[in-house]
Amino acid sequence: MSTDHEPPLDERERLDLCDLLDELGPDAPTLCEGWTTLDLAAHLVLREHFSKWTDEKRAVEKAKGLPALTARLRAGAPALPWRIPGVRNLLNGTEYLIHHEDVRRANGLAPRTGRPDLDKIAWATVRLTARGTARKIRPHGLEISTRAGESRHYGPPGGAVLTGHPVELLLYLSGRRDASETDLTGDPEAVAALRR
């Protein structure tokens, strides 16, 4: 939750990511396979302005250059649906959090600590995402647990247990398994199903 002097989480993540993109330049790697920082910036611009995310559209945006793309991102997202109170962080905050980590981790930057705002939105998203993941590994169950001891169980008892800080769990469940600092334990068949 933001104070009167602090912008909402999605805006802070957007601006921090833009700073990092500008610092690293257009050719730095990301965790998004085959994408550089320029590709990622183009994706974010297209996503927010409801354009189709084709390679051709991304090429048009990329041709504008990274400074133009980060300037457009810094200007903020369109009001609908991205700035609706109560949903803006879930819709856009999570997107920017994940992509910020895509850039950070691919460029050797350590996980951010001491950020309860990031943990809160990550945990909320993880609880939603884990439900869908659990359906994919049926008949096995899935338990997600934070290092602070919060946990949720989906499906039958037993199964796979995924443990980590909320941001790390979010990265794992969003396909950034190798970059996440998580522990995966439990029934070997359930663990194998989750890894698939």
Side-chain angles (χ1 to χ4, degrees):
M1 183 176 232
S2 65
T3 67
D4 292 339
H5 304 292
E6 187 176 84
L9 181 138
D10 65 308
E11 189 176 328
R12 283 180 280 144
E13 281 296 285
R14 167 197 302 278
L15 296 175
D16 289 349
L17 175 55
C18 285
D19 289 346
L20 184 57
L21 292 172
D22 286 340
E23 177 186 329
L24 294 172
D27 300 318
T30 72
L31 295 182
C32 301
E33 189 174 337
W35 280 11
T36 64
T37 45
L38 182 60
D39 291 293
L40 183 59
H43 159 76
L44 290 169
V45 166
L46 289 170
R47 176 186 170 272
E48 285 189 342
H49 293 86
F50 301 103
S51 295
K52 295 189 180 195
W53 307 343
T54 63
D55 289 340
E56 293 79 15
K57 286 271 198 183
R58 198 168 70 248
V60 168
E61 291 300 317
K62 285 172 57 176
K64 296 174 183 176
L66 187 62
L69 295 177
T70 56
R72 188 161 185 196
L73 292 170
R74 284 179 198 283
L80 294 175
W82 307 118
R83 294 189 203 180
I84 298 171
V87 296
R88 69 183 294 168
N89 282 339
L90 201 54
L91 289 176
N92 236 17
T94 300
E95 179 84 3
Y96 276 92
L97 167 57
I98 290 171
H99 286 318
H100 193 169
E101 292 301 320
D102 283 338
V103 176
R104 289 179 56 80
R105 306 291 172 104
N107 289 281
L109 298 172
R112 294 177 282 172
T113 58
R115 291 290 305 269
D117 57 338
L118 299 182
D119 289 340
K120 182 178 178 181
I121 189 64
W123 183 238
T125 305
V126 162
R127 290 190 324 242
L128 295 172
T129 306
R131 188 177 312 280
T133 302
R135 280 194 289 271
K136 292 177 185 174
I137 66 167
R138 284 182 183 156
H140 308 289
L142 172 63
E143 180 179 335
I144 54 169
S145 295
T146 70
R147 303 268 186 224
E150 290 183 85
S151 67
R152 294 285 187 278
H153 191 90
Y154 305 88
V161 180
L162 184 64
T163 306
H165 293 293
V167 171
E168 303 303 318
L169 294 168
L170 179 61
L171 291 175
Y172 188 97
L173 293 175
S174 65
R176 284 96 171 148
R177 295 175 182 168
D178 293 340
S180 72
E181 295 183 1
T182 54
D183 298 315
L184 181 56
T185 58
D187 176 76
E189 287 185 17
V191 167
L194 185 59
R195 285 189 173 137
R196 285 193 299 273

